[in-house]
Amino acid sequence: MTRWIVPLLVFLATAAGAWHATLAAATFGLMEGAVRRLSARAGVNTMSYGQLATPANQPIVRPSPDLAYSSCPFDLSAGPLLIRYVPVAGRYSSLSVFDARTDVVFVRNDTQAEGKPVRIAIAREGQKVPAGVETIRVGYDRGIALVRLLLADPAEIAQFDTIRRQSNCATIRG
């Protein structure tokens, strides 16, 4: 019986390591697929303003049909990213930033923003950002910034689209 303990422990350690590696690779793979799919609209480091979700146009699996999504797939290899998020008065909205591992690294909603526009920089360690801009340091070049706007009725999208399009993102140059 004791001669099987060492091989059994080696097997269990190998299985646990393989499980952990698969899980880690899956999160990176899922986010890379989402970045590619979303960047097909307008490219990376550019905000795109999606249509309301329907079964026919879902770029991401199962988005909420009462939320208007704007997304900025980003790649920090060319420099840090500046995001401007403009809340819509009287409506719930939020800015969330996800890194390459699908971890949420930043969230700010309309209440926290006190109805005022928010400017944040997303940067890797060592990348320079403008003075006075709130900076989120991330460990990976790629990810997604997502702005959500809650609508009471799908028809409201036309009413709020101009404000929604004031949220944007761009690479910081210099």
Side-chain angles (χ1 to χ4, degrees), residues 68-87:
Y69 293 91
S70 303
S71 58
C72 177
F74 62 85
D75 185 342
L76 304 177
S77 61
L81 185 75
L82 184 64
I83 299 174
R84 182 171 187 256
Y85 155 59
V86 180

Side-chain angles (χ1 to χ4, degrees), residues 13-86:
T14 302
W19 172 77
H20 188 271
T22 300
L23 197 58
T27 59
F28 284 104
L30 289 170
M31 182 55 81
E32 185 59 28
V35 167
R36 279 193 196 136
R37 192 175 269 169
L38 290 172
S39 64
R41 291 181 185 171
V44 294
N45 301 344
T46 303
M47 187 76 71
S48 64
Y49 310 93
Q51 300 172 339
L52 292 178
T54 67
N57 70 1
Q58 294 180 2
I60 302 295
V61 178
R62 308 294 264 170
S64 177
D66 56 352
L67 290 173
Y69 293 91
S70 303
S71 58
C72 177
F74 62 85
D75 185 342
L76 304 177
S77 61
L81 185 75
L82 184 64
I83 299 174
R84 182 171 187 256
Y85 155 59
V86 180

Side-chain angles (χ1 to χ4, degrees), residues 141-157:
D141 283 341
R142 293 171 69 84
I144 296 172
L146 191 63
V147 176
R148 299 174 184 99
L149 169 61
L150 181 63
L151 303 172
D153 182 287
E156 290 181 331
I157 189 69

